Amino acid sequence: MEIKKIAVLGAGQMGNGIAQVCARAGYEVKMRDIDQKFIDKGMAIIKKNLERGLKKERITQEEIDETLGRIEGILDLKEAVKDADLVIEAIPEMVKLKLDTWKEVDEAAPKHAILASNTSSISITQMAAATDRPNLFIGMHFFNPVPVMGLVEIIKGQATDDSTVKVIEDVSSKIGKDTVLVNEAPGFAVNRLLVPALNEAVYVIQEGIATVEDMDKAIKMGLNWPMGPLTLADFVGLDTMLYISDYFVDEFKDSKYRAPALLRKMVRAGWLGRKSGKGFYDYSGEKPVPNRF
Ligand code: 3HC
């Protein structure tokens, strides 16, 4: 099956990145969100990201215009998916919201369309079961920032067909991403490791073992990570980290995944990391300044 038209649900951090890489690869993209202001913001970020490449002579102005011309911002969900060959969902991590959205998409999308979720942890099988095409349902987990990160983690649900996997491997390759194929499990493979590791860094702060800047420096220089774990936690979003940790505890029935109290307290205070301007660092000035705990 050849994919030509892609609907991306959500114009946020992940959605606009996914729309960008798909349009850059030549796909016709409809990027849907629930409010015009989210679409406008997503389009502005895509434009800015493409223009970064202009300065480095990796893309021409003509290619930027063509790429932007292939992305249509849209509010109506049914309109967005009605002629899509592939629907990639990147909406907030709320189980009920995802299930309701997938039911609506399933009714409106062509029968042949593949449905892919960019969820960071929620069960692919559970979402697939909300549709009448679980064989065409799959996980397509991107990493932030999407235009830069080279991996798509493909997740096979209980009923996903091998032919669906093959199509998604081909699309991933066409948009310049390498893939790993994993079976469904909470957090799949990457977040199974990442979230406990970042939580452990938060425990180090909570227990007063190191300062924020020293913990980040230690891991950046000692383990050669591109970002320290607390910078990365702020980048991923502390609410996302907390959500995934709580989901792990519920799903695995194992308290070893429990979130540090400090993380929960910060989320309750609205300190969500970079997106809210405050997390382990304060982002209100020119450079991030580490907070004291
Ligand atoms: N969007 C697009 N491009 C970006 C970008 C962004 N937000 N941020 C940086 N870039 C580009 C820059 O233009 C630059 O391009 P170039 O090398 O071609 O010139 C390149 O990325 C490197 O950027 P910088 O030199 O400014 O900065 P760094 O060298 O520090 O790289 C980084 C930035 C790529 C973000 C790097 O720090 C990194 O890899 N960090 C770790 C990111 C990570 O772990 N992501 C996964 C998060 S987990 C996840 O998403 C899963 C979810 O389910 C939780």
Side-chain angles (χ1 to χ4, degrees):
M1 185 185 117
E2 203 197 341
I3 304 289
K4 288 195 173 132
K5 295 184 177 179
I6 298 181
V8 178
L9 309 183
Q13 190 165 259
M14 300 306 283
N16 70 59
I18 296 168
Q20 178 185 322
V21 294
C22 291
R24 180 79 178 97
Y27 293 108
E28 291 296 323
V29 177
K30 284 191 177 143
M31 181 172 76
R32 188 260 175 178
D33 214 313
I34 54 171
D35 193 313
Q36 190 60 40
K37 69 172 186 266
F38 298 136
I39 295 173
D40 293 345
K41 193 171 170 205
M43 289 299 286
I45 291 172
I46 293 172
K47 192 162 177 282
K48 194 172 134 218
N49 278 339
L50 289 169
E51 281 166 358
R52 285 180 195 234
L54 191 62
K55 290 189 200 105
K56 291 170 189 158
E57 296 183 354
R58 274 192 312 241
I59 190 168
T60 62
Q61 187 59 51
E62 198 185 353
E63 287 167 329
I64 292 181
D65 294 342
E66 280 168 12
T67 303
L68 291 172
R70 281 193 286 270
I71 307 174
E72 182 190 341
I74 190 163
L75 286 166
D76 188 286
L77 179 62
K78 288 189 167 58
E79 275 297 310
V81 304
K82 74 170 189 211
D83 56 0
D85 304 306
L86 169 62
V87 180
I88 306 176
E89 167 270 311
I91 65 173
E93 290 285 278
M94 288 179 246
V95 176
K96 187 172 180 318
L97 178 67
K98 299 244 194 217
L99 296 179
D100 290 348
T101 303
W102 280 126
K103 272 190 202 124
E104 223 180 307
V105 170
D106 190 34
E107 280 163 21
K111 286 290 163 234
H112 71 271
I114 290 181
L115 311 182
S117 177
N118 174 56
T119 179
S120 46
S121 61
I122 294 169
S123 166
I124 299 303
T125 303
Q126 185 182 11
M127 286 186 273
T131 73
D132 283 334
R133 59 182 102 184
N135 56 321
L136 294 178
F137 202 102
I138 195 158
M140 211 179 169
H141 185 209
F142 289 84
F143 297 87
N144 187 23
V146 176
V148 181
M149 305 301 282
L151 183 72
V152 171
E153 187 180 28
I154 299 178
I155 303 107
K156 210 167 176 260
Q158 183 64 32
T160 311
D161 279 344
D162 288 342
S163 54
T164 303
V165 173
K166 175 80 180 72
V167 173
I168 295 304
E169 283 173 342
D170 289 347
V171 170
S172 302
S173 163
K174 198 165 165 204
I175 61 176
K177 307 294 181 197
D178 215 329
T179 58
V180 289
L181 176 61
V182 303
N183 284 318
E184 172 173 331
F188 322 125
V190 176
N191 282 340
R192 175 79 170 265
L193 181 121
L194 178 70
V195 173
L198 298 190
N199 275 346
E200 217 49 50
V202 180
Y203 278 115
V204 167
I205 303 308
Q206 183 175 296
E207 292 168 21
I209 297 165
T211 60
V212 168
E213 61 270 42
D214 278 355
M215 186 58 186
D216 270 353
K217 179 179 171 185
I219 300 302
K220 259 183 91 165
M221 298 191 70
L223 297 180
N224 231 355
W225 285 26
M227 277 177 174
L230 301 159
T231 303
L232 185 53
D234 276 356
F235 186 63
V236 166
L238 303 188
D239 50 341
T240 303
M241 291 238 324
L242 180 62
Y243 177 84
I244 299 174
S245 308
D246 285 346
Y247 186 79
F248 279 8
V249 172
D250 285 349
E251 286 280 316
F252 288 116
K253 314 285 181 227
D254 188 338
S255 65
K256 82 172 174 182
Y257 296 102
R258 71 196 178 283
L262 175 60
L263 181 70
R264 197 174 300 280
K265 191 165 69 169
M266 290 172 78
V267 172
R268 283 179 177 156
W271 295 24
L272 308 182
R274 216 182 260 202
K275 63 184 162 192
S276 72
K278 206 164 191 179
F280 288 98
Y281 292 82
D282 190 304
Y283 298 91
S284 54
E286 224 167 79
K287 274 190 166 179
V289 177
N291 284 314
R292 298 269 160 250
F293 294 91

